[in-house]
Amino acid sequence: MNTARRATVLRAAELYYDEHLTMEAIAQELGCSRATVSRLVGEARTAGLVEITVHRSGRAASTLERLIAERYGVEATVVSPPERATEGERLLHVATQAAAKLRLTLSPDTTIAVTWGITIATLARNLTPGVVPGLQVVQMSGSGNTFSSGAEYASGVFDRFGAVLGARVHHFPVPAFFDSAATRAALWAEHSVQRIVRLQQRADVALFSVGALGGGIPGHLYRAGYLDRDDLRSLTEQGVVGDLGTVFLHATGSSTDLAMNQRSSGLPIETLRRIPRRLCVALGEAKAPVLRAALLAGAVTELIVDTRAAEPLVG
């Protein structure tokens, strides 16, 4: 290949691969036919001027879905956001997919128990509007902490469900954690609290995410005054990997031997398991340990995650 020919071939390759021009645009640029451009681009590859590498950093979403279903006995949806997507963009991709799946789940006279948090809030904002007759949405755990009632944060999530779906919303205005198990037991004897608890227990669908205790950016529960340093230290020492609706889990999925759970307003895992459909939505590699714990606990029937969260579950 002489110098002039090499320059023409290289220019065609640059316009095609670097500047992403069409064959027609390149033809106009170089003053030749589209067929000639095609030959020039092919010649660039043959001459070694262009190298094409396919990076396979992980398994295909469909493969991950099958492996998760086989290992954990759940229906899995694995979302593949663009590799260069920001965390916010990844969250939007997963939440939008989960919102569409939830929409197909809802039918008239359904009761859905919902947790609060960033992931579920994003899902709520991306629900397709449309009234579901007789739909009821019940808050799955309290949101109050030592600094505020938590009502403003949580109510925004649940009121969005109500506005978009025409649902009747039942708030749960209690602390996320009580000072003692005895205080919690006393309040659970109140009729107003019992009404909400019964609605939670009779729900047809549960919608929740999970919070990771370690790694990455801590979730809202771990950075907004819900737990003090002694609580966090104790949970870490006990091998807790995270929470599901303010109920903490060991890596094995066990939750019954943790004193903090006796003070939690969250729905116990054994009660959650009685709800027929249980949708868990999460993303990011940091969530994998607590996702695995939730799956081992039998808390999930349908999982919606991104590839980064899915890979470690079957790795």
Side-chain angles (χ1 to χ4, degrees), residues 76-130:
T77 300
V78 176
V79 183
S80 300
E83 191 61 34
R84 295 184 180 180
T86 65
E87 286 303 306
E89 290 168 342
R90 296 184 75 85
L91 172 59
L92 185 60
H93 274 83
V94 174
T96 301
Q97 184 74 23
K101 190 171 186 63
L102 176 66
R103 212 58 175 86
L104 297 174
T105 300
L106 301 177
S107 58
D109 301 318
T110 295
T111 298
I112 175 172
V114 183
T115 61
W116 45 266
I118 294 171
T119 301
I120 301 303
T122 306
L123 184 157
R125 288 195 296 271
N126 287 278
L127 280 167
T128 303

Side-chain angles (χ1 to χ4, degrees), residues 93-294:
H93 274 83
V94 174
T96 301
Q97 184 74 23
K101 190 171 186 63
L102 176 66
R103 212 58 175 86
L104 297 174
T105 300
L106 301 177
S107 58
D109 301 318
T110 295
T111 298
I112 175 172
V114 183
T115 61
W116 45 266
I118 294 171
T119 301
I120 301 303
T122 306
L123 184 157
R125 288 195 296 271
N126 287 278
L127 280 167
T128 303
V131 173
V132 180
L135 180 66
Q136 297 191 85
V137 175
V138 57
Q139 185 174 336
M140 207 160 114
S141 62
S143 56
N145 60 37
T146 54
F147 297 107
S148 75
S149 68
E152 182 177 355
Y153 177 80
S155 64
V157 177
F158 301 109
D159 289 346
R160 177 65 180 172
F161 278 96
V164 172
L165 302 175
R168 181 183 178 189
V169 176
H170 303 270
H171 294 286
F172 198 25
V174 300
F177 300 99
F178 293 89
D179 290 337
S180 69
T183 304
R184 177 190 180 279
L187 191 58
W188 254 235
E190 293 292 324
H191 290 296
S192 59
V193 173
Q194 288 179 356
R195 182 183 69 84
I196 300 297
V197 171
R198 283 195 297 270
L199 281 170
Q200 294 170 349
Q201 294 171 343
R202 296 171 183 171
D204 305 291
V205 179
L207 174 67
F208 52 88
S209 187
V210 291
L213 180 57
I217 299 173
H220 188 77
L221 182 69
Y222 301 99
R223 59 181 169 81
Y226 289 93
L227 303 165
D228 59 31
R229 290 183 180 179
D230 288 340
D231 290 331
L232 291 171
R233 186 182 305 111
S234 175
L235 291 170
T236 301
E237 290 172 351
Q238 293 177 83
V240 167
V241 291
D243 76 285
L244 190 171
T246 71
V247 174
F248 297 103
L249 297 168
H250 287 297
T252 60
S254 171
S255 61
T256 55
D257 59 342
L258 294 165
M260 276 290 293
N261 286 341
Q262 302 304 311
R263 296 165 42 201
S264 171
S265 62
L267 198 63
I269 301 300
E270 58 270 24
T271 305
L272 175 63
R273 283 198 296 259
R274 299 189 194 112
I275 297 175
R277 299 189 70 172
R278 306 180 297 278
L279 282 67
C280 179
V281 187
L283 67 151
E285 187 176 357
K287 295 289 182 72
V290 65
L291 278 172
R292 183 182 293 108

